[in-house]
Amino acid sequence: MRIAQIAPLAESVPPKLCGGTERVVAWLVDELVELGHDVTLFASGDSRTRGELHAVWPRALRLGRPRVDPNTACTLLIEAVSRRAGEFDIVHAHIDWLHLPALSRSGIPFLSTLHGRLDLPGIGEVVRQFHQACFVSISDSQRAPLEDANWCGTVHHGLPAGLFRPSYGPGSYLAFLGRLAPDKGPEDAIRIARAAGMPLRIAAKVPRGEAGYFKKQIQPEIDGTKVELVGEVDERGKQPFLSAAAALLFPIKWPEPFGLVMIEAMACGTPVIAYRAGSVPEVIDEGVTGFIVENEEEAVRAVKDIARIDRRKVRARFEERFTSDRMARTYETHYRRLLAAARPARAASEHLGTSASPLVP
């Protein structure tokens, strides 16, 4: 198939540092190419891909200088995709809602993977306006606020099986990896680690809007020994950080749509201790890849029971459920279903003498 993938422009594909969506898109494109498809990636010019790169903007917006109005870059992104849409059998978008007006009128089959939370004001109205658009969720729990949307499936994220090397040692500290924001639960992670008598290492960035929160709530707790801030880590830095941990703490306080860090830890053989929220029950196999807890007290008990988890089984379950090969093959199935459903419309348009979308034979 000739497939277009539309990535956000905030980060490169894959991102230099943080950026879950862009990382997933990078893995998906490379796996689809491996499966024999002709894939074009619409992304920033500093992206790297095994497919054809259509550079929409020279550099990713978050790290690029000088800073630009993101609406300018996104307008150019939609225009680039619209001009080339007829070259593809299917278009796969990862940019929330921006593409819906243009692609809904293009006649080209497309689907949209939604990577964020869906309980914000206005999203329901967008879905009602584009009720025929096909959406993919990254967890079943993500769908709850939009049950009436045209869901064509759920595809859990996956990462390359060889990206991280598993470690089967017991680990010497607890790890926290993610944004330092209240909804990610870093304060809870600090209290859990202290109560369990284990050191905590935090690998995270401070979001621009959370500087005050960090300075007031987190920074006073960092002593460099019991609680250590190691900063934002890239792909290479995640390997030693996660594999040497006894467990990853994931005390989220919001409906996390997926939580990529959970499967990154599992790929390293590291179990996860997480609050029951969002996608957590879909990702963690209780007692096999970690523990799902309700509060801090249960999390502390889970830390003390972490030796019961077989790290080899953690890695094995990752390989069964969360590789990028499995992700790409699942998307491939959805592409073919969408194309098959579009064939009657193509036949009708040809009968009427109108232009038709190019589809696979």
Side-chain angles (χ1 to χ4, degrees):
M1 285 179 276
R2 295 165 293 173
I3 304 168
Q5 297 282 341
I6 313 176
L9 298 177
E11 307 284 349
S12 61
V13 177
K16 302 297 185 293
L17 295 171
C18 290
T21 298
E22 295 84 0
R23 186 166 282 112
V24 170
V25 172
W27 295 330
L28 175 59
V29 171
D30 288 353
E31 292 289 355
L32 289 172
V33 171
E34 183 68 22
L35 291 172
H37 300 291
D38 182 359
V39 186
T40 299
L41 172 66
F42 291 82
S44 63
D46 51 349
S47 299
R48 295 177 288 105
T49 179
R50 293 184 60 188
E52 174 198 337
L53 175 63
H54 184 124
V56 176
W57 196 261
R59 287 180 56 80
L61 301 182
R62 185 171 78 93
L63 299 178
R65 297 292 184 274
R67 293 196 177 276
V68 299
D69 179 359
N71 291 327
T72 301
C74 290
T75 299
L76 294 176
L77 171 64
I78 300 303
E79 178 63 13
V81 174
S82 299
R83 289 187 177 188
R84 294 191 60 185
E87 301 175 24
F88 307 109
D89 300 313
I90 196 160
V91 177
H92 186 174
H94 303 267
I95 55 174
D96 295 329
W97 323 100
L98 296 177
H99 58 288
L100 291 177
L103 291 185
S104 294
R105 293 166 173 80
S106 70
I108 306 299
F110 74 97
L111 77 164
S112 309
T113 295
L114 302 179
H115 292 263
R117 65 187 303 170
L118 303 179
D119 57 348
L120 301 177
I123 292 179
E125 181 58 29
V126 171
V127 169
R128 284 188 289 273
Q129 289 288 331
F130 299 95
H131 61 277
Q132 293 183 328
C134 179
F135 298 107
V136 172
S137 54
I138 57 177
S139 67
D140 290 340
S141 67
Q142 182 194 27
R143 298 185 183 193
L146 293 178
E147 293 181 349
D148 296 332
N150 183 23
W151 297 109
C152 61
T154 289
V155 182
H156 289 146
H157 289 334
L159 57 88
L163 183 64
F164 295 127
R165 298 185 308 278
S167 173
Y168 302 129
S172 59
Y173 57 85
L174 299 173
F176 179 93
L177 176 61
R179 289 183 296 108
L180 287 178
D183 58 4
K184 293 290 188 176
E187 297 172 78
D188 292 52
I190 292 171
R191 289 192 295 266
I192 291 165
R194 290 192 187 279
M198 289 193 68
L200 175 69
R201 293 186 182 176
I202 300 172
K205 68 177 180 180
V206 181
R208 196 172 301 146
E210 301 292 351
Y213 164 76
F214 170 75
K215 186 174 182 179
K216 181 178 180 180
Q217 302 294 339
I218 305 300
Q219 194 171 39
E221 302 294 331
I222 297 171
D223 57 17
T225 53
K226 293 182 179 179
V227 180
E228 179 183 359
L229 178 64
V230 301
E232 191 172 5
V233 294
D234 59 13
E235 205 72 72
R236 182 175 296 181
K238 286 181 182 179
Q239 165 70 54
F241 178 77
L242 291 171
S243 63
L248 171 77
L249 296 183
F250 196 65
I252 56 170
K253 299 179 178 180
W254 73 297
E256 181 83 51
F258 185 79
L260 190 61
V261 66
M262 289 190 287
I263 67 171
E264 291 174 331
M266 289 156 54
C268 294
T270 302
V272 181
I273 298 172
Y275 286 177
R276 186 184 303 277
S279 65
V280 165
E282 296 176 50
V283 177
I284 296 176
D285 292 313
E286 174 69 24
V288 178
T289 57
F291 297 112
I292 302 172
V293 299
E294 305 294 341
N295 50 48
E296 292 180 28
E297 291 75 16
E298 290 188 10
V300 173
R301 290 197 293 270
V303 170
K304 295 180 178 180
D305 287 342
I306 206 65
R308 293 200 293 111
I309 301 294
D310 185 337
R311 293 175 72 110
R312 285 178 172 80
K313 291 183 179 179
V314 175
R315 170 69 189 196
R317 192 58 59 91
F318 156 76
E319 293 177 356
E320 291 172 11
R321 298 187 58 202
F322 297 115
T323 65
S324 53
D325 175 75
R326 184 273 317 159
M327 174 178 65
R329 291 181 185 275
T330 307
Y331 273 121
E332 187 182 48
T333 299
H334 288 302
Y335 298 158
R336 296 195 184 281
R337 288 175 179 169
L338 193 57
L339 289 171
R343 285 193 176 98
R346 179 194 186 194
S349 64
E350 288 177 341
H351 178 72
L352 294 173
T354 58
S355 59
S357 306
L359 300 176
V360 291

